[in-house]
Amino acid sequence: MNMNFAALKAAPAIEPDYADQIFSTDTASRRAFRDAMLQAVDLVSEGAAATNSLYSGTSVQGLRGLLDDLDPLPEVGTGIAAALADIGRPALEHALAVGHPAAMAHLHCPVAVPALAAEVLISATNQSLDSWDQSPFATLVEERVLAQLTELAGLPVSASGNFTSGGSQSNMTALYLAAARYGAEARKSGVIFTSEHAHFSIRKSAAILGFADDAVISIATDVQGRMSVSAFEAGLRQVVDVGRLPVAVVATAGTTDLGAIDPLPEIADLAAAQDLWMHVDAAYGGGLLFSRHRGRLAGLERAYSIALDFHKMLFQPISCGALLLGDRAHFAPLASKADYLNPEDAVFADAPNLVERSMQTTRRADALKILMTMRAIGRDGLDELICQTLENTRAAAEAVEARQYLLLARPPSLSTVLFRYVSAGGPELSDAITLKTRAALFHAGIAALATTVLDGRVHFKLTLLNPRSTPDVVHRVLDAIGETACELETHHART
Ligand SMILES: *Cc1c(COP(=O)(O)O)cnc(C)c1O
């Protein structure tokens, strides 16, 4: 990589006063901030412009070696310019370029420029959302954004939410609140229904929250990966018959692999009949709310709670998620009082202290980057970006179908495409070649692909969250898969 670091090296190496390095209200530290930010921004934008590389290809051992050669805590500080040259440079050179059109592995999106600008404001102001006096404007920004989100989701006026680190935390918080309705009985005999394609954070949350080992019941899905309503109905009846306590049903709107959207209205009907808490894990599919396809999430508005992730389909830097509740009163179990933060006798009239809705105490002002993105790009812009990724995905599925050595697993639902590589040597060899091809293309910097298991066999998975992952790019990647797999076949035949 041939980035130009000469300018960095020429800058003064050692700052005269350590106190200037602490961002404060004085002119010297403001100037130090500006200098450091401009250098960092130049490094990032020049780096991105100077190379089209997806990944440097360096091995794990090679990366460890780079870091082993570095003294992380020198006796005398090097100053910002040298630190950027020594650490910033390799950090960029050996990063996975998530904005690269061939970065297609995970639900890991390219980020919106307005959100990156907002990140500067978020970290420089360093507001903390636990109490209003630590984040006067940012607290209200979060409330304003949540009001917009609950409206988009079609929730009633009683709704509210809070920003979280992502889907895992939103899911766990939702299950905690669902369990809180039943006291100790929830842990003893409580059952949580979800589909066999649900995210693993549901099981993990249940374990952390102290549910019994067999508390999570996985309901069968149809061929598209959607929860079977009749199987859920039967499971619910069975649980009630044996005297166990149904605590919640977790529907998924956009499963991690297939992008399947569970039948939300039917699940809501069954849940309502039992007064059962319906949580919708919309960490992935929730992005549709910002597009003309929001109708596909019909039934979402009947949920007790909803997990949304903006670092999946909505172009936000990590981390950025939200938990929405249909009725804000359900946050009550989280509303503990701390003398130093939010005492019983309010200090500031009318001031919301958002710690009362969160598992976290100190918390970033992540809602600001969503607000900046929504304002700067607007409804039409977001709709266009999301539709483009869905279009790209449809085209990618067609490109898979057009190749004899590939077998499309299912028609895509959102922005993932799952397919098999077909080997004449049989399914085991297909599995092995798929895994090896994934690694080879990653280390060659050609494409970042995922693999997953579906129907008991290893599949390739493309996740197309970048509007620039056009059919052209996909064709090149599929050709590269074909070539690499063919070489591996030949090699296998020879050995
Ligand atoms: C990614 C994902 C999660 C986990 O979200 P994090 O933000 O990674 O914690 C939960 N559920 C689904 C369906 C997901 O795709």
Side-chain angles (χ1 to χ4, degrees), residues 235-321:
L236 193 53
R237 206 175 319 117
Q238 219 169 11
V239 159
V240 173
D241 283 351
V242 299
R244 289 191 70 168
L245 174 70
V247 167
V249 56
V250 179
T252 312
T255 57
T256 310
D257 278 345
L258 288 170
I261 299 171
D262 285 341
L264 303 179
E266 290 82 356
I267 294 170
D269 286 343
L270 287 172
Q274 292 282 336
D275 187 31
L276 185 62
W277 183 293
M278 175 167 85
H279 172 64
V280 180
D281 179 357
Y284 177 15
L288 292 181
L289 289 175
F290 294 86
S291 79
R292 69 191 70 176
H293 300 292
R294 70 183 63 83
R296 292 182 60 195
L297 299 176
L300 187 68
E301 72 287 350
R302 297 171 64 189
Y304 274 70
S305 55
I306 302 169
L308 297 175
D309 254 6
F310 310 105
H311 57 220
K312 295 276 178 71
M313 217 201 265
L314 211 71
F315 313 108
Q316 295 304 296
I318 300 162
S319 57
C320 197

Side-chain angles (χ1 to χ4, degrees), residues 4 77 127 187 189 211 220 242 297 368 374 388 391 460 484:
N4 179 8
Q127 304 292 284
R187 268 77 177 178
S189 74
F211 278 83
V242 299
L297 299 176
L368 189 67
M374 294 194 302
Q388 189 119 45
E391 278 301 318
F460 281 109
T484 307

Side-chain angles (χ1 to χ4, degrees), residues 31-74:
R31 192 172 297 136
F33 166 73
R34 186 169 189 278
D35 285 353
M37 291 304 283
L38 291 177
Q39 288 178 55
V41 166
D42 279 348
L43 198 57
V44 172
S45 50
E46 282 166 24
T51 173
N52 276 325
S53 162
L54 170 72
Y55 179 56
S56 70
T58 313
S59 66
V60 177
Q61 212 180 1
L63 297 178
R64 209 169 266 141
L66 289 175
L67 288 164
D68 285 347
D69 292 343
L70 185 111
D71 178 0
L73 184 59

